[in-house]
mmCIF file of all heavy atoms in Angstrom:
data_model
loop_
_atom_site.group_PDB
_atom_site.id
_atom_site.type_symbol
_atom_site.label_atom_id
_atom_site.label_comp_id
_atom_site.label_asym_id
_atom_site.label_seq_id
_atom_site.Cartn_x
_atom_site.Cartn_y
_atom_site.Cartn_z
ATOM 1 N N ARG N 248 24.618 -29.666 -76.919
ATOM 2 C CA ARG N 248 24.057 -30.476 -78.003
ATOM 3 C C ARG N 248 25.219 -31.186 -78.674
ATOM 4 O O ARG N 248 25.929 -30.622 -79.507
ATOM 5 C CB ARG N 248 23.308 -29.612 -79.019
ATOM 6 C CG ARG N 248 22.370 -30.435 -79.921
ATOM 7 C CD ARG N 248 22.331 -29.948 -81.352
ATOM 8 N NE ARG N 248 23.545 -30.348 -82.071
ATOM 9 C CZ ARG N 248 23.678 -30.272 -83.386
ATOM 10 N NH1 ARG N 248 22.703 -29.796 -84.136
ATOM 11 N NH2 ARG N 248 24.804 -30.655 -83.966
ATOM 12 N N ARG N 249 25.447 -32.444 -78.258
ATOM 13 C CA ARG N 249 26.561 -33.242 -78.781
ATOM 14 C C ARG N 249 25.995 -34.366 -79.644
ATOM 15 O O ARG N 249 25.192 -35.163 -79.177
ATOM 16 C CB ARG N 249 27.399 -33.818 -77.638
ATOM 17 C CG ARG N 249 27.996 -32.763 -76.710
ATOM 18 C CD ARG N 249 28.613 -33.406 -75.469
ATOM 19 N NE ARG N 249 27.592 -34.124 -74.715
ATOM 20 C CZ ARG N 249 27.841 -34.970 -73.707
ATOM 21 N NH1 ARG N 249 29.090 -35.195 -73.346
ATOM 22 N NH2 ARG N 249 26.870 -35.576 -73.079
ATOM 23 N N ASN N 250 26.420 -34.406 -80.891
ATOM 24 C CA ASN N 250 25.949 -35.432 -81.814
ATOM 25 C C ASN N 250 27.131 -36.204 -82.378
ATOM 26 O O ASN N 250 28.112 -35.598 -82.831
ATOM 27 C CB ASN N 250 25.163 -34.808 -82.971
ATOM 28 C CG ASN N 250 23.810 -34.256 -82.545
ATOM 29 O OD1 ASN N 250 23.293 -34.624 -81.490
ATOM 30 N ND2 ASN N 250 23.246 -33.385 -83.350
ATOM 31 N N ILE N 251 27.037 -37.521 -82.372
ATOM 32 C CA ILE N 251 28.033 -38.362 -83.026
ATOM 33 C C ILE N 251 27.586 -38.569 -84.469
ATOM 34 O O ILE N 251 26.475 -39.042 -84.716
ATOM 35 C CB ILE N 251 28.194 -39.707 -82.302
ATOM 36 C CG1 ILE N 251 28.639 -39.473 -80.855
ATOM 37 C CG2 ILE N 251 29.215 -40.594 -83.039
ATOM 38 C CD1 ILE N 251 28.693 -40.741 -80.022
ATOM 39 N N VAL N 252 28.435 -38.189 -85.404
ATOM 40 C CA VAL N 252 28.111 -38.284 -86.829
ATOM 41 C C VAL N 252 28.902 -39.446 -87.426
ATOM 42 O O VAL N 252 30.125 -39.528 -87.275
ATOM 43 C CB VAL N 252 28.463 -36.976 -87.556
ATOM 44 C CG1 VAL N 252 28.142 -37.091 -89.046
ATOM 45 C CG2 VAL N 252 27.705 -35.796 -86.936
ATOM 46 N N ILE N 253 28.191 -40.339 -88.103
ATOM 47 C CA ILE N 253 28.795 -41.532 -88.702
ATOM 48 C C ILE N 253 28.449 -41.549 -90.181
ATOM 49 O O ILE N 253 27.268 -41.560 -90.538
ATOM 50 C CB ILE N 253 28.251 -42.821 -88.041
ATOM 51 C CG1 ILE N 253 28.386 -42.763 -86.519
ATOM 52 C CG2 ILE N 253 28.961 -44.056 -88.604
ATOM 53 C CD1 ILE N 253 27.553 -43.815 -85.801
ATOM 54 N N GLN N 254 29.464 -41.514 -91.042
ATOM 55 C CA GLN N 254 29.190 -41.634 -92.476
ATOM 56 C C GLN N 254 29.484 -43.056 -92.922
ATOM 57 O O GLN N 254 30.571 -43.586 -92.690
ATOM 58 C CB GLN N 254 30.022 -40.652 -93.291
ATOM 59 C CG GLN N 254 29.677 -40.709 -94.787
ATOM 60 C CD GLN N 254 30.271 -39.576 -95.582
ATOM 61 O OE1 GLN N 254 29.997 -38.397 -95.286
ATOM 62 N NE2 GLN N 254 31.063 -39.889 -96.593
ATOM 63 N N ILE N 255 28.492 -43.664 -93.571
ATOM 64 C CA ILE N 255 28.567 -45.057 -94.019
ATOM 65 C C ILE N 255 28.188 -45.093 -95.497
ATOM 66 O O ILE N 255 27.250 -44.413 -95.927
ATOM 67 C CB ILE N 255 27.599 -45.939 -93.207
ATOM 68 C CG1 ILE N 255 28.004 -45.945 -91.731
ATOM 69 C CG2 ILE N 255 27.555 -47.366 -93.761
ATOM 70 C CD1 ILE N 255 26.949 -46.550 -90.814
ATOM 71 N N GLY N 256 28.932 -45.878 -96.270
ATOM 72 C CA GLY N 256 28.638 -45.980 -97.686
ATOM 73 C C GLY N 256 28.568 -47.417 -98.158
ATOM 74 O O GLY N 256 28.880 -48.357 -97.417
ATOM 75 N N LYS N 257 28.132 -47.572 -99.394
ATOM 76 C CA LYS N 257 28.166 -48.885 -100.022
ATOM 77 C C LYS N 257 29.638 -49.279 -100.222
ATOM 78 O O LYS N 257 30.430 -48.497 -100.750
ATOM 79 C CB LYS N 257 27.443 -48.856 -101.363
ATOM 80 C CG LYS N 257 25.962 -48.541 -101.247
ATOM 81 C CD LYS N 257 25.307 -48.490 -102.619
ATOM 82 C CE LYS N 257 23.818 -48.172 -102.512
ATOM 83 N NZ LYS N 257 23.168 -48.108 -103.847
ATOM 84 N N ALA N 258 29.994 -50.486 -99.809
ATOM 85 C CA ALA N 258 31.382 -50.927 -99.933
ATOM 86 C C ALA N 258 31.824 -51.001 -101.388
ATOM 87 O O ALA N 258 33.011 -50.908 -101.691
ATOM 88 C CB ALA N 258 31.569 -52.273 -99.250
ATOM 89 N N SER N 259 30.869 -51.150 -102.297
ATOM 90 C CA SER N 259 31.187 -51.221 -103.727
ATOM 91 C C SER N 259 31.519 -49.857 -104.314
ATOM 92 O O SER N 259 31.948 -49.768 -105.477
ATOM 93 C CB SER N 259 30.009 -51.814 -104.492
ATOM 94 O OG SER N 259 28.842 -51.010 -104.322
ATOM 95 N N ALA N 260 31.323 -48.783 -103.553
ATOM 96 C CA ALA N 260 31.584 -47.421 -104.026
ATOM 97 C C ALA N 260 32.766 -46.852 -103.251
ATOM 98 O O ALA N 260 32.591 -46.332 -102.144
ATOM 99 C CB ALA N 260 30.346 -46.552 -103.843
#
Side-chain angles (χ1 to χ4, degrees):
R248 197 218 76 167
R249 301 170 299 168
N250 289 341
I251 300 174
V252 179
I253 308 165
Q254 184 169 301
I255 297 168
K257 296 178 180 180
S259 60

